[in-house]
PDB file of all heavy atoms in Angstrom:
ATOM      1  N   VAL E   1      15.477 -24.770  -4.476  1.00  0.00           N
ATOM      2  CA  VAL E   1      16.042 -23.462  -4.809  1.00  0.00           C
ATOM      3  C   VAL E   1      14.940 -22.407  -4.772  1.00  0.00           C
ATOM      4  O   VAL E   1      13.837 -22.634  -5.291  1.00  0.00           O
ATOM      5  CB  VAL E   1      16.701 -23.477  -6.208  1.00  0.00           C
ATOM      6  CG1 VAL E   1      17.113 -22.065  -6.632  1.00  0.00           C
ATOM      7  CG2 VAL E   1      17.924 -24.390  -6.208  1.00  0.00           C
ATOM      8  N   ILE E   2      15.240 -21.277  -4.145  1.00  0.00           N
ATOM      9  CA  ILE E   2      14.351 -20.117  -4.143  1.00  0.00           C
ATOM     10  C   ILE E   2      15.041 -18.997  -4.908  1.00  0.00           C
ATOM     11  O   ILE E   2      16.213 -18.697  -4.671  1.00  0.00           O
ATOM     12  CB  ILE E   2      14.021 -19.655  -2.719  1.00  0.00           C
ATOM     13  CG1 ILE E   2      13.283 -20.764  -1.955  1.00  0.00           C
ATOM     14  CG2 ILE E   2      13.165 -18.390  -2.743  1.00  0.00           C
ATOM     15  CD1 ILE E   2      13.037 -20.434  -0.498  1.00  0.00           C
ATOM     16  N   MET E   3      14.323 -18.404  -5.845  1.00  0.00           N
ATOM     17  CA  MET E   3      14.844 -17.295  -6.628  1.00  0.00           C
ATOM     18  C   MET E   3      14.222 -16.005  -6.121  1.00  0.00           C
ATOM     19  O   MET E   3      12.998 -15.873  -6.068  1.00  0.00           O
ATOM     20  CB  MET E   3      14.527 -17.499  -8.116  1.00  0.00           C
ATOM     21  CG  MET E   3      15.142 -16.458  -9.046  1.00  0.00           C
ATOM     22  SD  MET E   3      14.717 -16.765 -10.796  1.00  0.00           S
ATOM     23  CE  MET E   3      15.542 -18.347 -11.056  1.00  0.00           C
ATOM     24  N   GLY E   4      15.051 -15.046  -5.728  1.00  0.00           N
ATOM     25  CA  GLY E   4      14.564 -13.788  -5.207  1.00  0.00           C
ATOM     26  C   GLY E   4      14.198 -12.812  -6.312  1.00  0.00           C
ATOM     27  O   GLY E   4      13.899 -13.196  -7.446  1.00  0.00           O
ATOM     28  N   VAL E   5      14.253 -11.537  -5.989  1.00  0.00           N
ATOM     29  CA  VAL E   5      13.891 -10.470  -6.926  1.00  0.00           C
ATOM     30  C   VAL E   5      15.061  -9.501  -7.011  1.00  0.00           C
ATOM     31  O   VAL E   5      15.571  -9.039  -5.989  1.00  0.00           O
ATOM     32  CB  VAL E   5      12.616  -9.734  -6.468  1.00  0.00           C
ATOM     33  CG1 VAL E   5      12.299  -8.579  -7.415  1.00  0.00           C
ATOM     34  CG2 VAL E   5      11.450 -10.694  -6.376  1.00  0.00           C
ATOM     35  N   ARG E   6      15.475  -9.200  -8.235  1.00  0.00           N
ATOM     36  CA  ARG E   6      16.600  -8.292  -8.421  1.00  0.00           C
ATOM     37  C   ARG E   6      16.167  -6.899  -8.883  1.00  0.00           C
ATOM     38  O   ARG E   6      16.760  -5.895  -8.529  1.00  0.00           O
ATOM     39  CB  ARG E   6      17.582  -8.907  -9.438  1.00  0.00           C
ATOM     40  CG  ARG E   6      18.734  -7.999  -9.850  1.00  0.00           C
ATOM     41  CD  ARG E   6      19.565  -7.589  -8.658  1.00  0.00           C
ATOM     42  NE  ARG E   6      20.596  -6.634  -9.000  1.00  0.00           N
ATOM     43  CZ  ARG E   6      20.410  -5.329  -9.175  1.00  0.00           C
ATOM     44  NH1 ARG E   6      19.203  -4.825  -9.082  1.00  0.00           N
ATOM     45  NH2 ARG E   6      21.415  -4.546  -9.450  1.00  0.00           N
ATOM     46  N   ASN E   7      15.126  -6.836  -9.671  1.00  0.00           N
ATOM     47  CA  ASN E   7      14.705  -5.556 -10.234  1.00  0.00           C
ATOM     48  C   ASN E   7      13.185  -5.518 -10.245  1.00  0.00           C
ATOM     49  O   ASN E   7      12.560  -5.637 -11.280  1.00  0.00           O
ATOM     50  CB  ASN E   7      15.274  -5.386 -11.642  1.00  0.00           C
ATOM     51  CG  ASN E   7      15.035  -4.013 -12.234  1.00  0.00           C
ATOM     52  OD1 ASN E   7      14.882  -3.039 -11.496  1.00  0.00           O
ATOM     53  ND2 ASN E   7      14.988  -3.932 -13.546  1.00  0.00           N
ATOM     54  N   GLY E   8      12.596  -5.382  -9.036  1.00  0.00           N
ATOM     55  CA  GLY E   8      11.154  -5.456  -8.876  1.00  0.00           C
ATOM     56  C   GLY E   8      10.424  -4.258  -9.430  1.00  0.00           C
ATOM     57  O   GLY E   8      11.033  -3.355 -10.022  1.00  0.00           O
ATOM     58  N   PRO E   9       9.089  -4.300  -9.248  1.00  0.00           N
ATOM     59  CA  PRO E   9       8.365  -5.224  -8.372  1.00  0.00           C
ATOM     60  C   PRO E   9       8.298  -6.638  -8.939  1.00  0.00           C
ATOM     61  O   PRO E   9       8.344  -6.843 -10.142  1.00  0.00           O
ATOM     62  CB  PRO E   9       6.971  -4.598  -8.285  1.00  0.00           C
ATOM     63  CG  PRO E   9       6.830  -3.830  -9.568  1.00  0.00           C
ATOM     64  CD  PRO E   9       8.199  -3.304  -9.873  1.00  0.00           C
ATOM     65  N   GLY E  10       8.186  -7.592  -8.018  1.00  0.00           N
ATOM     66  CA  GLY E  10       8.108  -8.984  -8.428  1.00  0.00           C
ATOM     67  C   GLY E  10       7.928  -9.891  -7.241  1.00  0.00           C
ATOM     68  O   GLY E  10       7.963  -9.468  -6.085  1.00  0.00           O
ATOM     69  N   ASP E  11       7.726 -11.186  -7.531  1.00  0.00           N
ATOM     70  CA  ASP E  11       7.534 -12.212  -6.518  1.00  0.00           C
ATOM     71  C   ASP E  11       8.705 -13.184  -6.536  1.00  0.00           C
ATOM     72  O   ASP E  11       9.313 -13.429  -7.581  1.00  0.00           O
ATOM     73  CB  ASP E  11       6.240 -13.001  -6.781  1.00  0.00           C
ATOM     74  CG  ASP E  11       5.011 -12.112  -6.796  1.00  0.00           C
ATOM     75  OD1 ASP E  11       4.940 -11.205  -5.949  1.00  0.00           O
ATOM     76  OD2 ASP E  11       4.135 -12.324  -7.654  1.00  0.00           O
ATOM     77  N   MET E  12       9.030 -13.753  -5.385  1.00  0.00           N
ATOM     78  CA  MET E  12      10.021 -14.811  -5.339  1.00  0.00           C
ATOM     79  C   MET E  12       9.461 -16.062  -6.018  1.00  0.00           C
ATOM     80  O   MET E  12       8.249 -16.285  -6.028  1.00  0.00           O
ATOM     81  CB  MET E  12      10.416 -15.116  -3.898  1.00  0.00           C
ATOM     82  CG  MET E  12      11.089 -13.961  -3.199  1.00  0.00           C
ATOM     83  SD  MET E  12      12.065 -14.465  -1.741  1.00  0.00           S
ATOM     84  CE  MET E  12      10.962 -15.574  -0.901  1.00  0.00           C
ATOM     85  N   LEU E  13      10.363 -16.883  -6.568  1.00  0.00           N
ATOM     86  CA  LEU E  13       9.975 -18.112  -7.242  1.00  0.00           C
ATOM     87  C   LEU E  13      10.540 -19.309  -6.487  1.00  0.00           C
ATOM     88  O   LEU E  13      11.670 -19.265  -5.988  1.00  0.00           O
ATOM     89  CB  LEU E  13      10.488 -18.131  -8.682  1.00  0.00           C
ATOM     90  CG  LEU E  13      10.073 -16.964  -9.592  1.00  0.00           C
ATOM     91  CD1 LEU E  13      10.674 -17.154 -10.980  1.00  0.00           C
ATOM     92  CD2 LEU E  13       8.568 -16.835  -9.661  1.00  0.00           C
ATOM     93  N   LEU E  14       9.756 -20.379  -6.425  1.00  0.00           N
ATOM     94  CA  LEU E  14      10.158 -21.603  -5.736  1.00  0.00           C
ATOM     95  C   LEU E  14      10.349 -22.724  -6.747  1.00  0.00           C
ATOM     96  O   LEU E  14       9.454 -23.008  -7.552  1.00  0.00           O
ATOM     97  CB  LEU E  14       9.108 -22.009  -4.705  1.00  0.00           C
ATOM     98  CG  LEU E  14       9.252 -23.409  -4.095  1.00  0.00           C
ATOM     99  CD1 LEU E  14      10.550 -23.521  -3.299  1.00  0.00           C
ATOM    100  CD2 LEU E  14       8.049 -23.734  -3.207  1.00  0.00           C
ATOM    101  N   PHE E  15      11.519 -23.366  -6.704  1.00  0.00           N
ATOM    102  CA  PHE E  15      11.810 -24.519  -7.540  1.00  0.00           C
ATOM    103  C   PHE E  15      12.072 -25.715  -6.623  1.00  0.00           C
ATOM    104  O   PHE E  15      13.089 -25.760  -5.932  1.00  0.00           O
ATOM    105  CB  PHE E  15      13.012 -24.252  -8.440  1.00  0.00           C
ATOM    106  CG  PHE E  15      12.773 -23.167  -9.455  1.00  0.00           C
ATOM    107  CD1 PHE E  15      12.994 -21.839  -9.127  1.00  0.00           C
ATOM    108  CD2 PHE E  15      12.301 -23.465 -10.722  1.00  0.00           C
ATOM    109  CE1 PHE E  15      12.768 -20.823 -10.050  1.00  0.00           C
ATOM    110  CE2 PHE E  15      12.067 -22.460 -11.651  1.00  0.00           C
ATOM    111  CZ  PHE E  15      12.293 -21.138 -11.316  1.00  0.00           C
ATOM    112  N   VAL E  16      11.156 -26.660  -6.630  1.00  0.00           N
ATOM    113  CA  VAL E  16      11.261 -27.833  -5.767  1.00  0.00           C
ATOM    114  C   VAL E  16      12.031 -28.926  -6.493  1.00  0.00           C
ATOM    115  O   VAL E  16      11.840 -29.161  -7.693  1.00  0.00           O
ATOM    116  CB  VAL E  16       9.860 -28.325  -5.351  1.00  0.00           C
ATOM    117  CG1 VAL E  16       9.928 -29.706  -4.714  1.00  0.00           C
ATOM    118  CG2 VAL E  16       9.242 -27.341  -4.373  1.00  0.00           C
ATOM    119  N   ASN E  17      12.910 -29.591  -5.757  1.00  0.00           N
ATOM    120  CA  ASN E  17      13.715 -30.680  -6.300  1.00  0.00           C
ATOM    121  C   ASN E  17      12.873 -31.949  -6.347  1.00  0.00           C
ATOM    122  O   ASN E  17      12.522 -32.522  -5.322  1.00  0.00           O
ATOM    123  CB  ASN E  17      14.946 -30.882  -5.414  1.00  0.00           C
ATOM    124  CG  ASN E  17      15.935 -31.868  -5.989  1.00  0.00           C
ATOM    125  OD1 ASN E  17      15.628 -32.618  -6.907  1.00  0.00           O
ATOM    126  ND2 ASN E  17      17.134 -31.874  -5.434  1.00  0.00           N
ATOM    127  N   THR E  18      12.547 -32.385  -7.545  1.00  0.00           N
ATOM    128  CA  THR E  18      11.763 -33.613  -7.739  1.00  0.00           C
ATOM    129  C   THR E  18      12.624 -34.725  -8.327  1.00  0.00           C
ATOM    130  O   THR E  18      12.090 -35.728  -8.809  1.00  0.00           O
ATOM    131  CB  THR E  18      10.566 -33.349  -8.670  1.00  0.00           C
ATOM    132  OG1 THR E  18      11.044 -32.911  -9.953  1.00  0.00           O
ATOM    133  CG2 THR E  18       9.648 -32.295  -8.082  1.00  0.00           C
ATOM    134  N   GLY E  19      13.946 -34.560  -8.290  1.00  0.00           N
ATOM    135  CA  GLY E  19      14.843 -35.536  -8.880  1.00  0.00           C
ATOM    136  C   GLY E  19      15.195 -36.661  -7.925  1.00  0.00           C
ATOM    137  O   GLY E  19      14.447 -36.989  -6.993  1.00  0.00           O
ATOM    138  N   THR E  20      16.363 -37.243  -8.133  1.00  0.00           N
ATOM    139  CA  THR E  20      16.837 -38.370  -7.340  1.00  0.00           C
ATOM    140  C   THR E  20      18.038 -37.940  -6.516  1.00  0.00           C
ATOM    141  O   THR E  20      18.534 -36.814  -6.627  1.00  0.00           O
ATOM    142  CB  THR E  20      17.240 -39.529  -8.257  1.00  0.00           C
ATOM    143  OG1 THR E  20      18.386 -39.133  -9.050  1.00  0.00           O
ATOM    144  CG2 THR E  20      16.091 -39.908  -9.190  1.00  0.00           C
ATOM    145  N   ALA E  21      18.519 -38.869  -5.686  1.00  0.00           N
ATOM    146  CA  ALA E  21      19.705 -38.577  -4.880  1.00  0.00           C
ATOM    147  C   ALA E  21      20.915 -38.334  -5.762  1.00  0.00           C
ATOM    148  O   ALA E  21      21.845 -37.616  -5.378  1.00  0.00           O
ATOM    149  CB  ALA E  21      19.976 -39.726  -3.919  1.00  0.00           C
ATOM    150  N   GLY E  22      20.915 -38.907  -6.971  1.00  0.00           N
ATOM    151  CA  GLY E  22      22.054 -38.773  -7.863  1.00  0.00           C
ATOM    152  C   GLY E  22      22.026 -37.559  -8.758  1.00  0.00           C
ATOM    153  O   GLY E  22      23.066 -37.164  -9.292  1.00  0.00           O
ATOM    154  N   MET E  23      20.861 -36.921  -8.950  1.00  0.00           N
ATOM    155  CA  MET E  23      20.793 -35.725  -9.776  1.00  0.00           C
ATOM    156  C   MET E  23      19.490 -34.980  -9.507  1.00  0.00           C
ATOM    157  O   MET E  23      18.408 -35.557  -9.567  1.00  0.00           O
ATOM    158  CB  MET E  23      20.890 -36.064 -11.259  1.00  0.00           C
ATOM    159  CG  MET E  23      20.850 -34.834 -12.169  1.00  0.00           C
ATOM    160  SD  MET E  23      22.091 -33.544 -11.749  1.00  0.00           S
ATOM    161  CE  MET E  23      23.619 -34.398 -12.177  1.00  0.00           C
ATOM    162  N   ALA E  24      19.635 -33.696  -9.242  1.00  0.00           N
ATOM    163  CA  ALA E  24      18.477 -32.861  -8.954  1.00  0.00           C
ATOM    164  C   ALA E  24      17.694 -32.565 -10.224  1.00  0.00           C
ATOM    165  O   ALA E  24      18.248 -32.525 -11.326  1.00  0.00           O
ATOM    166  CB  ALA E  24      18.930 -31.556  -8.304  1.00  0.00           C
ATOM    167  N   VAL E  25      16.392 -32.346 -10.048  1.00  0.00           N
ATOM    168  CA  VAL E  25      15.518 -31.803 -11.082  1.00  0.00           C
ATOM    169  C   VAL E  25      14.682 -30.724 -10.410  1.00  0.00           C
ATOM    170  O   VAL E  25      13.989 -30.996  -9.426  1.00  0.00           O
ATOM    171  CB  VAL E  25      14.595 -32.880 -11.691  1.00  0.00           C
ATOM    172  CG1 VAL E  25      13.604 -32.235 -12.653  1.00  0.00           C
ATOM    173  CG2 VAL E  25      15.411 -33.945 -12.408  1.00  0.00           C
ATOM    174  N   PHE E  26      14.761 -29.496 -10.903  1.00  0.00           N
ATOM    175  CA  PHE E  26      14.085 -28.379 -10.259  1.00  0.00           C
ATOM    176  C   PHE E  26      12.860 -27.973 -11.066  1.00  0.00           C
ATOM    177  O   PHE E  26      12.979 -27.560 -12.226  1.00  0.00           O
ATOM    178  CB  PHE E  26      15.036 -27.187 -10.110  1.00  0.00           C
ATOM    179  CG  PHE E  26      16.208 -27.465  -9.211  1.00  0.00           C
ATOM    180  CD1 PHE E  26      17.499 -27.519  -9.714  1.00  0.00           C
ATOM    181  CD2 PHE E  26      16.025 -27.697  -7.853  1.00  0.00           C
ATOM    182  CE1 PHE E  26      18.587 -27.779  -8.902  1.00  0.00           C
ATOM    183  CE2 PHE E  26      17.100 -27.958  -7.017  1.00  0.00           C
ATOM    184  CZ  PHE E  26      18.382 -28.006  -7.545  1.00  0.00           C
ATOM    185  N   GLU E  27      11.700 -28.090 -10.440  1.00  0.00           N
ATOM    186  CA  GLU E  27      10.452 -27.727 -11.091  1.00  0.00           C
ATOM    187  C   GLU E  27       9.791 -26.595 -10.318  1.00  0.00           C
ATOM    188  O   GLU E  27       9.663 -26.649  -9.087  1.00  0.00           O
ATOM    189  CB  GLU E  27       9.512 -28.931 -11.160  1.00  0.00           C
ATOM    190  CG  GLU E  27      10.054 -30.077 -11.999  1.00  0.00           C
ATOM    191  CD  GLU E  27       9.034 -31.178 -12.198  1.00  0.00           C
ATOM    192  OE1 GLU E  27       7.833 -30.855 -12.210  1.00  0.00           O
ATOM    193  OE2 GLU E  27       9.434 -32.338 -12.344  1.00  0.00           O
ATOM    194  N   GLN E  28       9.364 -25.575 -11.040  1.00  0.00           N
ATOM    195  CA  GLN E  28       8.734 -24.433 -10.396  1.00  0.00           C
ATOM    196  C   GLN E  28       7.399 -24.831  -9.785  1.00  0.00           C
ATOM    197  O   GLN E  28       6.617 -25.571 -10.375  1.00  0.00           O
ATOM    198  CB  GLN E  28       8.525 -23.292 -11.382  1.00  0.00           C
ATOM    199  CG  GLN E  28       8.026 -22.013 -10.707  1.00  0.00           C
ATOM    200  CD  GLN E  28       7.727 -20.908 -11.688  1.00  0.00           C
ATOM    201  OE1 GLN E  28       8.130 -20.969 -12.843  1.00  0.00           O
ATOM    202  NE2 GLN E  28       7.024 -19.891 -11.242  1.00  0.00           N
ATOM    203  N   GLN E  29       7.148 -24.316  -8.571  1.00  0.00           N
ATOM    204  CA  GLN E  29       5.927 -24.622  -7.839  1.00  0.00           C
ATOM    205  C   GLN E  29       5.274 -23.331  -7.365  1.00  0.00           C
ATOM    206  O   GLN E  29       5.951 -22.354  -7.064  1.00  0.00           O
ATOM    207  CB  GLN E  29       6.233 -25.502  -6.612  1.00  0.00           C
ATOM    208  CG  GLN E  29       6.978 -26.780  -6.920  1.00  0.00           C
ATOM    209  CD  GLN E  29       6.118 -27.808  -7.612  1.00  0.00           C
ATOM    210  OE1 GLN E  29       4.901 -27.856  -7.412  1.00  0.00           O
ATOM    211  NE2 GLN E  29       6.737 -28.660  -8.419  1.00  0.00           N
ATOM    212  N   ALA E  30       3.965 -23.362  -7.273  1.00  0.00           N
ATOM    213  CA  ALA E  30       3.234 -22.269  -6.619  1.00  0.00           C
ATOM    214  C   ALA E  30       3.113 -22.606  -5.142  1.00  0.00           C
ATOM    215  O   ALA E  30       2.764 -23.720  -4.779  1.00  0.00           O
ATOM    216  CB  ALA E  30       1.848 -22.112  -7.235  1.00  0.00           C
ATOM    217  N   ASP E  31       3.423 -21.663  -4.284  1.00  0.00           N
ATOM    218  CA  ASP E  31       3.397 -21.911  -2.845  1.00  0.00           C
ATOM    219  C   ASP E  31       2.928 -20.659  -2.118  1.00  0.00           C
ATOM    220  O   ASP E  31       3.603 -19.645  -2.112  1.00  0.00           O
ATOM    221  CB  ASP E  31       4.784 -22.308  -2.359  1.00  0.00           C
ATOM    222  CG  ASP E  31       4.794 -22.713  -0.896  1.00  0.00           C
ATOM    223  OD1 ASP E  31       3.757 -22.563  -0.231  1.00  0.00           O
ATOM    224  OD2 ASP E  31       5.825 -23.163  -0.409  1.00  0.00           O
ATOM    225  N   ALA E  32       1.751 -20.750  -1.507  1.00  0.00           N
ATOM    226  CA  ALA E  32       1.189 -19.591  -0.810  1.00  0.00           C
ATOM    227  C   ALA E  32       2.062 -19.155   0.352  1.00  0.00           C
ATOM    228  O   ALA E  32       2.137 -17.978   0.677  1.00  0.00           O
ATOM    229  CB  ALA E  32      -0.218 -19.906  -0.309  1.00  0.00           C
ATOM    230  N   SER E  33       2.762 -20.099   0.997  1.00  0.00           N
ATOM    231  CA  SER E  33       3.546 -19.734   2.168  1.00  0.00           C
ATOM    232  C   SER E  33       4.858 -19.049   1.794  1.00  0.00           C
ATOM    233  O   SER E  33       5.569 -18.557   2.657  1.00  0.00           O
ATOM    234  CB  SER E  33       3.835 -20.969   3.027  1.00  0.00           C
ATOM    235  OG  SER E  33       4.822 -21.778   2.441  1.00  0.00           O
ATOM    236  N   LEU E  34       5.210 -19.033   0.505  1.00  0.00           N
ATOM    237  CA  LEU E  34       6.380 -18.295   0.045  1.00  0.00           C
ATOM    238  C   LEU E  34       5.967 -17.097  -0.796  1.00  0.00           C
ATOM    239  O   LEU E  34       6.718 -16.631  -1.645  1.00  0.00           O
ATOM    240  CB  LEU E  34       7.294 -19.209  -0.777  1.00  0.00           C
ATOM    241  CG  LEU E  34       8.024 -20.293   0.006  1.00  0.00           C
ATOM    242  CD1 LEU E  34       8.832 -21.172  -0.930  1.00  0.00           C
ATOM    243  CD2 LEU E  34       8.928 -19.691   1.061  1.00  0.00           C
ATOM    244  N   ASP E  35       4.782 -16.608  -0.563  1.00  0.00           N
ATOM    245  CA  ASP E  35       4.219 -15.515  -1.356  1.00  0.00           C
ATOM    246  C   ASP E  35       4.800 -14.192  -0.873  1.00  0.00           C
ATOM    247  O   ASP E  35       4.160 -13.400  -0.192  1.00  0.00           O
ATOM    248  CB  ASP E  35       2.697 -15.526  -1.235  1.00  0.00           C
ATOM    249  CG  ASP E  35       2.039 -14.484  -2.135  1.00  0.00           C
ATOM    250  OD1 ASP E  35       2.730 -13.977  -3.031  1.00  0.00           O
ATOM    251  OD2 ASP E  35       0.857 -14.190  -1.920  1.00  0.00           O
ATOM    252  N   VAL E  36       6.079 -13.957  -1.226  1.00  0.00           N
ATOM    253  CA  VAL E  36       6.771 -12.740  -0.821  1.00  0.00           C
ATOM    254  C   VAL E  36       6.933 -11.845  -2.039  1.00  0.00           C
ATOM    255  O   VAL E  36       7.579 -12.222  -3.016  1.00  0.00           O
ATOM    256  CB  VAL E  36       8.152 -13.051  -0.214  1.00  0.00           C
ATOM    257  CG1 VAL E  36       8.879 -11.761   0.131  1.00  0.00           C
ATOM    258  CG2 VAL E  36       7.998 -13.915   1.025  1.00  0.00           C
ATOM    259  N   SER E  37       6.318 -10.677  -1.991  1.00  0.00           N
ATOM    260  CA  SER E  37       6.439  -9.699  -3.061  1.00  0.00           C
ATOM    261  C   SER E  37       7.256  -8.515  -2.556  1.00  0.00           C
ATOM    262  O   SER E  37       7.250  -8.199  -1.366  1.00  0.00           O
ATOM    263  CB  SER E  37       5.057  -9.212  -3.511  1.00  0.00           C
ATOM    264  OG  SER E  37       4.292 -10.289  -4.025  1.00  0.00           O
ATOM    265  N   THR E  38       7.953  -7.863  -3.474  1.00  0.00           N
ATOM    266  CA  THR E  38       8.782  -6.736  -3.076  1.00  0.00           C
ATOM    267  C   THR E  38       8.770  -5.674  -4.154  1.00  0.00           C
ATOM    268  O   THR E  38       8.527  -5.959  -5.326  1.00  0.00           O
ATOM    269  CB  THR E  38      10.226  -7.206  -2.799  1.00  0.00           C
ATOM    270  OG1 THR E  38      10.974  -6.129  -2.225  1.00  0.00           O
ATOM    271  CG2 THR E  38      10.902  -7.659  -4.077  1.00  0.00           C
ATOM    272  N   ASP E  39       9.020  -4.448  -3.748  1.00  0.00           N
ATOM    273  CA  ASP E  39       9.050  -3.335  -4.695  1.00  0.00           C
ATOM    274  C   ASP E  39      10.310  -3.341  -5.549  1.00  0.00           C
ATOM    275  O   ASP E  39      10.268  -3.069  -6.746  1.00  0.00           O
ATOM    276  CB  ASP E  39       8.969  -1.999  -3.944  1.00  0.00           C
ATOM    277  CG  ASP E  39       7.636  -1.790  -3.266  1.00  0.00           C
ATOM    278  OD1 ASP E  39       6.666  -2.429  -3.689  1.00  0.00           O
ATOM    279  OD2 ASP E  39       7.581  -0.988  -2.321  1.00  0.00           O
ATOM    280  N   ILE E  40      11.453  -3.624  -4.908  1.00  0.00           N
ATOM    281  CA  ILE E  40      12.735  -3.447  -5.577  1.00  0.00           C
ATOM    282  C   ILE E  40      13.557  -4.729  -5.576  1.00  0.00           C
ATOM    283  O   ILE E  40      13.948  -5.237  -6.626  1.00  0.00           O
ATOM    284  CB  ILE E  40      13.555  -2.328  -4.911  1.00  0.00           C
ATOM    285  CG1 ILE E  40      12.805  -0.997  -4.988  1.00  0.00           C
ATOM    286  CG2 ILE E  40      14.926  -2.203  -5.570  1.00  0.00           C
ATOM    287  CD1 ILE E  40      12.646  -0.454  -6.393  1.00  0.00           C
ATOM    288  N   TYR E  41      13.820  -5.276  -4.397  1.00  0.00           N
ATOM    289  CA  TYR E  41      14.874  -6.278  -4.255  1.00  0.00           C
ATOM    290  C   TYR E  41      14.541  -7.197  -3.097  1.00  0.00           C
ATOM    291  O   TYR E  41      14.105  -6.751  -2.025  1.00  0.00           O
ATOM    292  CB  TYR E  41      16.197  -5.556  -3.997  1.00  0.00           C
ATOM    293  CG  TYR E  41      17.415  -6.409  -3.763  1.00  0.00           C
ATOM    294  CD1 TYR E  41      18.206  -6.828  -4.825  1.00  0.00           C
ATOM    295  CD2 TYR E  41      17.803  -6.767  -2.479  1.00  0.00           C
ATOM    296  CE1 TYR E  41      19.346  -7.589  -4.608  1.00  0.00           C
ATOM    297  CE2 TYR E  41      18.938  -7.525  -2.251  1.00  0.00           C
ATOM    298  CZ  TYR E  41      19.711  -7.938  -3.324  1.00  0.00           C
ATOM    299  OH  TYR E  41      20.839  -8.683  -3.096  1.00  0.00           O
ATOM    300  N   ALA E  42      14.725  -8.517  -3.297  1.00  0.00           N
ATOM    301  CA  ALA E  42      14.533  -9.496  -2.231  1.00  0.00           C
ATOM    302  C   ALA E  42      15.599 -10.569  -2.367  1.00  0.00           C
ATOM    303  O   ALA E  42      15.689 -11.243  -3.397  1.00  0.00           O
ATOM    304  CB  ALA E  42      13.143 -10.107  -2.294  1.00  0.00           C
ATOM    305  N   ALA E  43      16.426 -10.718  -1.330  1.00  0.00           N
ATOM    306  CA  ALA E  43      17.505 -11.701  -1.331  1.00  0.00           C
ATOM    307  C   ALA E  43      17.215 -12.752  -0.261  1.00  0.00           C
ATOM    308  O   ALA E  43      17.346 -12.476   0.931  1.00  0.00           O
ATOM    309  CB  ALA E  43      18.845 -11.033  -1.066  1.00  0.00           C
TER     310      ALA E  43
END
């Protein structure tokens, strides 16, 4: 899951699924390649 920005400025957030096939577990990760910042809004 990637979380965008609704009321910036702000950065997008990355939540990587570290769970199993039967149930997801989303843990926030730092990722330079998803380093998208925006003034107002990012979808």
